[in-house]
Every structure is written in structure tokens, then in C-alpha cells.
Amino acid sequence: MGTRHASADGLASVGFSVLRSALATNILWIGALKFKQYEVENDEPLVTSSPLFSRFRQKLGAQKLNRLIGVTEITIGSLIAAKPLAPRASAIGSFGAVGMFLTTLSFLATTPEARQEGQGMLSLSQLGQFLLKDTVLLGAALLTAVESLHAARHR
């Protein structure tokens, strides 16, 4: 019986490591892409439809806003990855990711292009489907936050 428990714990540990690495890599990579012009253009429907981001876009311009988002994402991804060295900082990064994913999920409600035109609220477009995957990343961020907090307590 003890061997099964040890095997499950080992598998959970590997799973959390893969989850954390994948989450950090995704956020870092997407943050780095925010410095590309095509990404500025891809984000336009999202930021112009958002009550919060449209104000920032008016003040900063599209390119500077995307760069600010990119720097934020790179910071969050780096903090998440820092768990072996700084578990508390990693927890902060994970909670930052929670906020980030809640923000991007709000675009489902504010971006008309997230839905298939004339098909109703639940018929997501390709953009809407892209945004919906953030529900999984939100769960990953919550799990990595909890794991980092546990590691910080046991230090």
C-alpha cells in the first residue's frame, strides 16, 4: 500500500513540474511575442473592445501597450519558473497569472469577434476558442500558486 502512495506522490510531483514548466514557458513565449508587430495587430480587437484596455491603448498607443503587456507577462512567467529558488515569488507570479487569465477571459464578453456572428453567445469564433483555453491555464496558475505556497511554508 505504501508503494502505491509513493508512486502517486512521485507522479504528482512530476505532474506539477511539467505543469509549472509549461505554464511558465507559455507565458514567457507569449510575452516575448508582444514585441512583434503582427501580435500588436492580432490584439487590436481585444484591446479596443475592452473598457479597461481601450483607455490604456488611447494613452499609450497600441505598440507601447503591447510591450507593457509583454513585460508583465515575461515578469509573471519568470516568477512562476523561480519556484526552486524563490517559492514565495513563484506564488506571487502564479497569482499574477490568475489575474492575467481572468482578464483575458473577460475578452469573451467584451470582444464581438469572439463569437460567430449571428450564431448566439455560445457559438465561439476561432478567437473565442483561443481565449477559452485560458480556463485551463487559470486552473494551472491556481495549482502552481498553491504548490509554491506549500513549498514556501516548508522552507
Side-chain angles (χ1 to χ4, degrees):
M1 188 92 154
T3 305
R4 280 192 211 163
H5 190 269
S7 295
D9 287 348
L11 185 57
S13 179
V14 170
F16 272 112
S17 293
V18 169
L19 186 68
R20 176 175 306 284
S21 297
L23 181 62
T25 300
N26 273 268
I27 295 171
L28 286 164
W29 198 330
I30 291 167
L33 290 175
K34 296 297 185 205
F35 293 85
K36 299 278 191 179
Q37 184 58 36
Y38 75 85
E39 189 64 14
V40 173
E41 294 165 11
N42 288 342
D43 288 347
E44 272 299 287
L46 302 172
V47 298
T48 57
S49 299
S50 167
L52 174 64
F53 283 92
S54 62
R55 290 185 190 122
F56 286 132
R57 189 194 176 288
Q58 286 174 351
K59 289 187 189 299
L60 299 173
Q63 191 171 41
K64 283 184 183 175
L65 175 59
N66 257 49
R67 288 180 177 172
L68 177 62
I69 293 168
V71 167
T72 303
E73 290 174 338
I74 290 168
T75 301
I76 287 171
S78 298
L79 287 170
I80 291 169
K83 188 220 168 204
L85 302 172
R88 279 190 177 86
S90 184
I92 291 167
S94 291
F95 284 122
V98 167
M100 183 179 78
F101 294 128
L102 288 173
T103 301
T104 58
L105 285 168
S106 76
F107 295 149
L108 284 168
T110 62
T111 308
E113 292 90 343
R115 296 173 295 285
Q116 291 288 343
E117 191 173 322
Q119 299 297 314
M121 188 73 168
L122 298 178
S123 297
L124 296 176
S125 66
Q126 200 169 18
L127 175 62
Q129 293 171 38
F130 169 77
L131 292 170
L132 188 61
K133 61 96 177 88
D134 281 4
T135 56
V136 176
L137 295 172
L138 172 62
L142 288 166
L143 288 172
T144 58
V146 169
E147 188 207 23
S148 293
L149 289 173
H150 282 287
R153 278 194 205 127
H154 292 100
R155 268 197 156 187

